[in-house]
């Protein structure tokens, strides 16, 4: 046995480790009385291949190199106390699988996770008193099959659900003797300070895992079915409700006495812009003198698109929807006709004019049931059938913009669009 008192003279570095010539030494005690910092090299114990017991006091400061015990494979007893160790790694213990006694008392260790992977099947005795352990992970003890003695006195245990596993293990464990386990007191939270650790009721911390899985699975299934149902059957209704709400808010903010800025807002797809400029604008603005609102020309830059659409529809006497196959496939055009139809339903006035650029068969309109319902109640015109009578077509548009509606003319217009014959 070698008992060595460490001072500044001992701390001077040498070419060889200090114990390299002691291969038969079985016990080593290192104790430091000074308070200065010293650098401990990882090969400090090189040469001590027969060492079975090692004790140090105030020797290691704050941490140990993973290779510290690489040269002591026969180590059975390890005591490192008063060293302010805060964290240890499992790799530190891999070279000493025969360790039976471990004393790490009077340090600042906060977690025992290193024991879970330390691979110490022969460890029977552990002392971890007066450390900073507040939450004990019982996995560390379950990985030590030979553990029969455990000292955790003087640790600031917390009496919360995070320690429920340790509390249960403490009461049900029959193999390991836990020193004064029934006398442990709570340090946290403040409301539990001074109470016995085992008096903390952990029943509220446990919940049947199978019940949780059942509730989660059932909730997920119901949510999936409900989402599918809403998407398939109610998605348009929800969209209509949303835009109707926006229109309602805009109508509340808009003064009833405010005059309309435009005669009509023209809703069209970009693919039909050439027709709008070549055929519509020269007649409606040039010849008839109507003031039209076009999104690319009259929308306010920087304002949200939905707000621009709402103001354009409610700021115009009427809305002209230039409908084509491209129009039906456009998301923004769909929003515009939805908003215009909401105004139609809200004000109960003939404010919507449907102008078809193409003959669209009824089966192609079936996914757009809102448009089909509008066709039955609103003025609509067909450009393909008016190609030989453009003057009559634009005169009908003028009558629609003026609000003139004669029963015989409306019947003529409805019959003039074979795509909607029932």
């Amino acid at each position: 046995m070698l008992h060595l008192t460490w001072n500044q003279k001992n701390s001077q570095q040498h070419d060889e480790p200090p114990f390299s010539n002691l291969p038969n030494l079985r016990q080593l005690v290192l104790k430091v009385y000074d308070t200065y910092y010293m650098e401990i090299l990882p090969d400090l114990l090189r040469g001590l291949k027969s060492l079975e017991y090692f004790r140090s006091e105030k020797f290691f400061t704050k941490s140990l190199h993973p290779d510290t015990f690489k040269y002591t494979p026969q180590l059975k007893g390890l005591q490192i106390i008063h060293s302010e160790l805060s964290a240890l790694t499992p790799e530190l213990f891999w070279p000493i699988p025969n360790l039976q006694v471990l004393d790490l008392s009077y340090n600042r260790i906060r977690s025992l996770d290193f024991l879970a992977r330390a691979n110490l099947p022969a460890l029977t005795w552990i002392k971890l008193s007066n450390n900073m352990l507040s939450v004990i992970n019982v996995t560390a003890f379950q990985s030590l099959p030979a553990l029969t003695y455990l000292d955790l006195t003087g640790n600031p245990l917390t009496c919360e659900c995070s320690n429920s596993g340790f509390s249960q293990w403490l009461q049900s464990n029959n193999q390991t003797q836990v020193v004064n386990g029934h006398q442990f007191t709570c340090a946290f939270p403040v409301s539990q300070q001074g109470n016995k650790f085992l008096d903390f009721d952990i029943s509220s911390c446990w919940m049947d895992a199978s019940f949780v899985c059942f509730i989660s699975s059932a909730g997920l299934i119901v949510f999936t079915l409900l989402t599918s149902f809403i998407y398939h059957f109610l998605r348009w209704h929800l969209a209509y409700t949303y835009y109707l709400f926006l229109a309602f808010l805009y109508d509340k903010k808009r003064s009833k006495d405010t005059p309309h800025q435009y005669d009509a807002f023209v809703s069209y797809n970009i693919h039909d812009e050439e027709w709008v400029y070549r055929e519509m604008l020269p007649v409606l603005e040039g010849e008839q003198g109507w003031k039209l609102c076009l999104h690319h020309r009259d929308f306010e830059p920087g304002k949200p698109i939905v707000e621009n659409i709402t103001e354009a529809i409610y700021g115009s006497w009427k809305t002209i929807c230039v409908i084509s196959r491209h129009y039906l496939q456009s998301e923004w055009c769909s929003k515009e006709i939805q908003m215009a139809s909401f105004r139609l339903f809200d004000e109960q006035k003939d404010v919507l004019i449907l102008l078809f650029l193409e003959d669209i068969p009824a089966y192609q309109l079936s996914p757009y049931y809102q448009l089909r319902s509008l066709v039955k109640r609103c003025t609509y015109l067909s450009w393909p059938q008016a190609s030989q009578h453009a003057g009559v077509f634009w005169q009908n548009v003028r009558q629609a913009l003026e609000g003139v509606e004669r029963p015989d003319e409306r019947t003529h217009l409805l019959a003039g669009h074979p795509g909607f014959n029932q």
Side-chain angles (χ1 to χ4, degrees):
M1 175 179 177
L2 176 61
H3 187 285
L4 181 62
T5 301
W6 206 269
N7 54 33
Q8 188 169 4
K9 181 178 181 180
N10 296 120
S11 68
Q12 295 175 353
Q13 296 184 0
H14 300 279
D15 293 337
E16 295 184 2
F19 311 110
S20 57
N21 296 322
L22 299 172
N24 297 319
L25 185 66
R26 295 182 180 276
Q27 296 187 33
L28 175 62
V29 178
L30 300 178
K31 189 171 183 179
V32 176
Y33 292 97
D34 298 332
T35 57
Y36 66 88
Y37 172 78
M38 66 182 72
E39 181 182 3
I40 308 299
L41 299 178
D43 63 348
L44 171 71
L45 303 179
R46 180 184 293 180
L48 299 177
K49 59 182 181 180
S50 300
L51 191 67
E52 295 181 356
Y53 176 79
F54 175 75
R55 178 189 178 193
S56 68
E57 184 174 349
K58 297 183 180 180
F59 185 76
F60 297 101
T61 56
K62 310 241 173 145
S63 65
L64 281 83
H65 193 279
D67 292 337
T68 301
F69 303 110
K70 178 180 178 180
Y71 309 99
T72 58
Q74 303 302 320
L75 197 63
K76 296 180 181 179
L78 175 60
Q79 185 178 24
I80 305 176
I81 61 175
H82 294 287
S83 297
E84 296 190 359
L85 297 178
S86 59
L88 296 174
T89 62
E91 293 83 359
L92 179 70
F93 301 92
W94 289 352
I96 49 176
N98 299 319
L99 190 67
Q100 299 176 4
V101 176
L102 177 63
D103 184 356
L104 297 172
S105 56
Y106 293 96
N107 284 286
R108 304 184 66 83
I109 297 174
R110 297 178 179 273
S111 172
L112 299 181
D113 291 345
F114 66 93
L115 286 175
R117 296 192 300 118
N119 190 24
L120 297 172
L123 190 61
T124 60
W125 194 96
I126 300 179
K127 186 174 183 180
L128 290 159
S129 60
N130 297 286
N131 276 276
M132 302 297 292
L133 296 169
S134 59
V135 177
I136 307 296
N137 185 358
V138 294
T139 306
F141 306 138
Q142 293 170 349
S143 63
L144 303 174
L147 185 64
T148 57
Y149 179 92
L150 176 64
D151 187 353
L152 292 170
T153 57
N155 283 281
L157 297 177
T158 182
C159 290
E160 294 178 336
C161 289
S162 55
N163 254 341
S164 58
F166 175 60
S167 176
Q168 188 180 42
W169 179 85
L170 197 61
Q171 299 178 66
S172 61
N173 156 64
N174 295 321
Q175 173 183 319
T176 305
Q177 176 189 354
V178 182
V179 178
N180 295 324
H182 293 275
Q183 300 299 320
F184 289 166
T185 58
C186 304
F188 305 103
V190 176
S191 60
Q192 296 285 341
Q193 280 184 356
N195 295 342
K196 289 292 194 312
F197 178 77
L198 291 181
D199 289 342
F200 173 65
D201 183 13
I202 63 173
S203 59
S204 59
C205 301
W206 301 107
M207 184 175 292
D208 189 353
S210 60
F211 178 73
V212 173
C213 292
F214 169 75
I215 293 296
S216 302
S217 301
L220 181 61
I221 293 173
V222 171
F223 175 77
T224 303
L225 293 176
L226 185 61
T227 302
S228 302
F229 175 83
I230 291 174
Y231 177 79
H232 186 73
F233 295 103
L234 302 176
R235 66 182 185 276
W236 292 114
H237 295 79
L238 293 177
Y240 298 159
T241 303
Y242 170 71
Y243 287 107
L244 182 60
F245 179 69
L246 291 182
F248 173 78
L249 292 180
Y250 180 80
D251 189 60
K252 288 297 183 182
K253 293 189 294 182
R254 182 172 59 89
S255 172
K256 299 296 183 180
D257 300 328
T258 302
H260 292 86
Q261 186 178 0
Y262 302 97
D263 293 308
F265 165 61
V266 182
S267 172
Y268 64 93
N269 184 268
I270 190 66
H271 292 88
D272 305 318
E273 188 173 51
E274 180 182 357
W275 183 90
V276 171
Y277 272 86
R278 186 183 71 249
E279 301 289 346
M280 176 180 281
L281 291 186
V283 177
L284 297 186
E285 285 193 337
E287 298 178 9
Q288 298 182 8
W290 301 106
K291 186 178 181 181
L292 304 180
C293 176
L294 305 179
H295 60 80
H296 77 281
R297 184 184 68 182
D298 301 308
F299 277 11
E300 182 178 338
K303 183 177 290 187
I305 184 67
V306 173
E307 188 173 344
N308 265 321
I309 294 174
T310 306
E311 292 183 356
I313 291 175
Y314 278 84
S316 305
W317 286 104
K318 296 199 175 186
T319 297
I320 301 175
C321 296
V322 181
I323 299 174
S324 65
R325 288 177 174 82
H326 290 300
Y327 186 95
L328 296 177
Q329 296 171 1
S330 170
E331 178 182 358
W332 287 113
C333 291
S334 174
K335 289 178 171 56
E336 290 171 356
I337 197 172
Q338 287 171 9
M339 190 74 72
S341 64
F342 292 145
R343 182 188 174 194
L344 172 67
F345 300 146
D346 182 37
E347 299 183 2
Q348 297 297 315
K349 296 178 181 178
D350 189 9
V351 296
L352 187 60
I353 302 172
L354 304 180
L355 195 160
F356 284 82
L357 287 186
E358 302 172 314
D359 285 329
I360 304 177
Y363 73 89
Q364 292 187 6
L365 279 178
S366 58
Y368 312 97
Y369 63 87
Q370 183 195 19
L371 182 58
R372 287 176 57 84
S373 65
L374 289 174
V375 165
K376 297 178 181 180
R377 69 181 66 189
C378 300
T379 302
Y380 65 93
L381 303 162
S382 173
W383 175 252
Q385 295 186 9
S387 57
Q388 302 299 324
H389 307 283
V392 177
F393 176 85
W394 293 118
Q395 183 61 28
N396 288 333
V397 174
R398 179 172 185 167
Q399 291 179 3
L401 287 172
E402 290 175 343
V404 177
E405 181 179 344
R406 299 185 179 91
D408 55 338
E409 291 178 345
R410 182 173 178 81
T411 303
H412 170 74
L413 292 174
L414 285 170
H417 200 300
F420 301 111
N421 293 338
Q422 301 299 320

